[in-house]
Amino acid sequence: MTAPTHPAGQNDAVRTGAMDIGYAAMLEQFAPTEAVALAAYAEQHGFTGVMAADHFQPWVPAQGEASFVWSVLAAIGERTTGDFGPGVTTPSFRMHPAVVAQASATLATMYPGRHWLGVGSGEAVNEHVVGAYWPEAADRINRMFEAVEVISKLFTASIAGRDAKHSGPNFTLESSRLWTMPEVAPQILVATSGPVTAKRAGRVADGLITVGAPVDKVAGLLARFAEGARASGRDGSAMPKVLRLHLSWAETDEQAMANALREWPNGGMRFSKSDIRSPFEFEQLARMVRAEDFDGRMVISADPDVHRAAIQKYVDLGFDRIYLHNVGRNQREWIHEFGRSVLPKLVR
């Protein structure tokens, strides 16, 4: 499988550097048409791709949205020219892996070389809505990796013009294929925040997705991913390593902090959030979040250079693509400012 490519002529003035900095379209916060417009605006200001969040519900009611990611991704494909994919979808509860494979293959056929498939083990706020038993984390991770196996089987068999089948502890696939399939399958990127999952992803996935965390922790994840890749006879350094980074920028430090507390209190919750089922439960927990809870978890500053320095640390770790999410509603102001003063200064 080949890495997503950028068509000739796309943002030529800003494509001279090697680092790809994309825009994180948070569909929990923005209506679908607005999210698409913001993605296009970001590309005009030097952002090179889009990672769109897959949510059935927002984290907290104040965020206010949760559109269907596959519809939005298709619209983003029409309005932009860079790479794009879900960050991340869960091919396990709301959608069978075969349906996720079909959705991904269709986008990859429509937009050759641009679409990648990011998958994760899921959170209850999105997945419990179908009424199934909500398993423990280890079981969810096992389901995710079995789903990756099913999707990979379908991609491989369909490209070869034959049927695939699967019978496992969590999923069954009767003999079938994807009749709409690109010549090159989308890369499957597995989301991880723990070392065991990172190593396992290195063995079976095409690449890794993780979220911003202390640099030493993230470095450990990348090392375990590379270890898993070596165990499967592959070079981890040549495989995509992708980061989504939350931040808060505004014209003043006080406004940046107010945006974080109001719009993204889940970023200050220092505990696992995967078992919480309702945005209204999150809202109750958000009342306990204080400014200091963001320390070490998210950069909150009015100074673009403070953000640049923080992002550069992750660039230096060897990430291939970083997708930025400014948590406030001031998206256009932030995109304009970072396109001018941050993105051009990030170097490998």
Side-chain angles (χ1 to χ4, degrees):
M1 299 180 185
T2 59
T5 58
H6 301 281
Q10 181 240 336
N11 288 339
D12 288 340
V14 297
R15 297 294 308 145
T16 55
M19 191 63 215
D20 284 348
I21 303 295
Y23 175 68
M26 306 308 288
L27 304 188
E28 314 97 306
Q29 286 184 286
F30 300 101
T33 51
E34 184 178 8
V36 173
L38 288 170
Y41 187 75
E43 183 174 89
Q44 293 165 12
H45 287 77
F47 289 78
T48 58
V50 181
M51 175 185 286
D54 180 8
H55 268 252
F56 194 86
Q57 302 185 99
W59 293 105
V60 293
Q63 291 169 353
E65 294 286 341
S67 52
F68 189 55
V69 70
W70 297 102
S71 302
V72 178
L73 285 172
I76 286 171
E78 285 294 304
R79 291 286 304 277
T80 64
T81 62
D83 72 86
F84 64 95
V88 292
T89 197
T90 302
S92 186
F93 300 96
R94 283 179 292 146
M95 296 180 71
H96 189 280
V99 178
V100 172
Q102 183 189 29
S104 182
T106 298
L107 284 179
T109 302
M110 295 171 68
Y111 309 103
R114 296 176 54 196
H115 166 66
W116 43 267
L117 175 60
V119 302
S121 59
E123 291 108 359
V125 71
N126 300 313
E127 308 303 329
H128 90 281
V129 297
V130 296
Y133 167 73
W134 184 244
E136 297 295 326
D139 291 335
R140 299 197 302 270
I141 291 169
N142 287 335
R143 287 177 65 98
M144 175 185 68
F145 279 109
E146 186 182 343
V148 169
E149 182 183 357
V150 173
I151 294 169
S152 297
K153 283 181 177 179
L154 268 172
F155 283 172
T156 300
S158 301
I159 288 174
R162 54 181 173 81
D163 287 357
K165 60 182 178 180
H166 178 87
S167 180
N170 300 294
F171 304 109
T172 299
L173 177 71
E174 293 192 357
S175 293
S176 190
R177 70 186 72 177
L178 299 170
W179 289 90
T180 297
M181 187 72 206
E183 294 181 1
V184 178
Q187 289 181 325
I188 303 173
L189 312 181
V190 167
T192 177
S193 59
V196 175
T197 307
K199 183 177 180 180
R200 196 169 170 184
R203 290 199 300 265
V204 304
D206 297 316
L208 169 144
I209 294 178
T210 192
V211 295
V215 171
D216 55 347
K217 177 183 177 181
V218 175
L221 292 179
L222 295 181
R224 294 302 295 273
F225 176 76
E227 185 180 337
R230 287 194 300 272
S232 67
R234 300 184 293 172
D235 179 7
S237 65
M239 298 165 67
K241 294 168 287 292
V242 175
L243 176 74
R244 183 176 69 190
L245 191 60
H246 303 288
L247 58 93
S248 187
W249 173 88
E251 292 185 353
T252 67
D253 288 348
E254 293 75 15
Q255 186 60 52
M257 179 58 72
N259 288 348
L261 288 167
R262 181 178 61 253
E263 298 287 346
W264 206 252
N266 41 300
M269 296 178 184
R270 295 177 175 268
F271 50 82
S272 173
K273 299 177 282 292
S274 60
D275 294 326
I276 300 173
R277 299 188 173 208
S278 167
F280 299 99
E281 292 179 42
F282 274 108
E283 185 178 40
Q284 295 298 316
L285 294 168
R287 294 176 180 176
M288 299 185 291
V289 174
R290 299 293 181 264
E292 57 269 22
D293 294 325
F294 292 100
D295 292 347
R297 299 175 64 84
M298 195 167 79
V299 174
I300 300 173
S301 175
D303 187 347
D305 203 52
V306 170
H307 291 282
R308 182 209 56 78
I311 298 166
Q312 184 65 53
K313 291 179 181 179
Y314 294 103
V315 174
D316 294 341
L317 287 181
F319 281 100
D320 301 286
R321 303 195 299 276
I322 298 175
Y323 299 86
L324 302 181
H325 169 220
N326 180 47
V327 302
R329 301 279 169 171
N330 56 332
Q331 294 293 290
R332 290 180 180 268
E333 297 86 351
W334 165 71
I335 288 169
H336 182 270
E337 178 61 39
F338 271 49
R340 181 186 67 83
S341 63
V342 175
L343 270 57
K345 298 178 182 179
L346 295 170
V347 295
R348 285 197 183 279

